[in-house]
Amino acid sequence: MLKKISVILVSILIISTIAVGCKSESASDTQSTDTTQTTGSKVKDVTITIFQSKVEITEQLEKLAKEYSDMTDGVEVEVWGTTGDDYMTQLQTKLGAGQGPTILSAGVGTEAEDLSDYLYDLSNEEYVKYIAPGMEVRSKDGKLIGIPYGAEGFGFVYNKSLVDASKITDYDSFSNTLKELKESDVQAVSLTKEAYFLIAHILNVPFALQDDPEAFVEELTNGTKKMTGNPIFEEWAKFMEIIKSEGVNPLEINYDTQTGDFATGKTAMIHQGNWAYGMFDSYDIDFDMGILSMPVNGNDKISVGIPNSWGINASASEDEIKAALEFLDWLFTSEKGQSYIVDKFGFIPAMTNMKTDTLDPLGKEVAEYTASGKTLPWVFNIWPAGIVNNDFVPATQKFFSNEKMTGNEFLQELDKAWENATK
């Protein structure tokens, strides 16, 4: 059911954003950047802070904050830095101490639910009517607690001058391609040591390929199912074995190195998403790129979903909340704010009032997979909270640091990790 819902909703999103894009141009052009028009009264002499988890957009967000601060009369916007992986720990510590930011990454799924008590109800804001159907982030009691960043998709980002994607349709063709690339002195494929780039994203594939992913998660938790012995997981484990033997050791590289090696043609494929395109800005790339599915069990789909959402700290002062509401209204309805979301952040809009014709090459790839219905749901959003960093990462580090550990033994470690996270 999760798969069907995600495919339908994301398809609606893309179709609606493209269709509405042309119609909304004149409207967005006339929307003012004067925040007095969003609420009827101006907030002055207040500082709002933004703390969010996507390191890729930090620099762009800081420029946006300065532009907004310059054009308002007394509203300062500050962006707090984070390293990404420990964002949620940092955020919960700040919120628990009463020192939280004004605007924050609220997450989705179990992560958003964990934060729901701290989050302001956005249900009455005018601009939320533009959120694409099914993309609202709500708490269990129905509060609208998050505005989606945008839609994103991930798979193997590949260099089209080095890889012929049409020839990679199953395990054998994938394996042969990696071996041929390695023999030609090209780094065939790489993951990185950061938690989600190391294991969470790539492990999403066998979960999403189950007949009923949501039921499978419940069965893992109640102990009636295991990854070990499941045919799809067992084939996925073979892919992990060949990635380990023919690819770069992910424990030795970080996100910056991985994307830099890809941009300079040193690596042929990296397991990443459309967000990575922003990392290529400082390189003079002379090749075309695309996104390739992980062909487990013949799969030809990539994972597409909502990565995160903006929320407002309900414990902030009245003036701070008002200023934060005005900022988000401006971000999602003004021409300048929308240009940052699409052109600077590289997000595929999850709102129906934005154009998508300026998406970068990876964003267009995600949009094309979506339009053709070739998407897998983000099942990791319903995994137990904290399991990626606390349990899956140590198991994966053990796999990549031990050349002799087999894929099946890796699955046994992942089963132990799940059991530990849900006991």
Side-chain angles (χ1 to χ4, degrees), residues 195-232:
Y196 275 74
F197 300 158
L198 176 65
I199 184 60
H201 287 166
I202 201 164
L203 183 57
N204 183 72
V205 175
F207 274 91
L209 289 174
Q210 301 300 312
D211 289 337
D212 186 339
E214 196 167 0
F216 185 77
V217 166
E218 292 176 1
E219 290 164 344
L220 279 180
T221 301
N222 65 31
T224 58
K225 289 283 179 66
K226 288 188 179 298
M227 291 176 248
T228 307
N230 180 288
I232 293 175

Side-chain angles (χ1 to χ4, degrees), residues 148-161:
Y149 272 36
E152 290 186 335
F154 59 81
F156 288 106
V157 175
Y158 69 99
N159 179 331
K160 291 186 176 181
S161 70

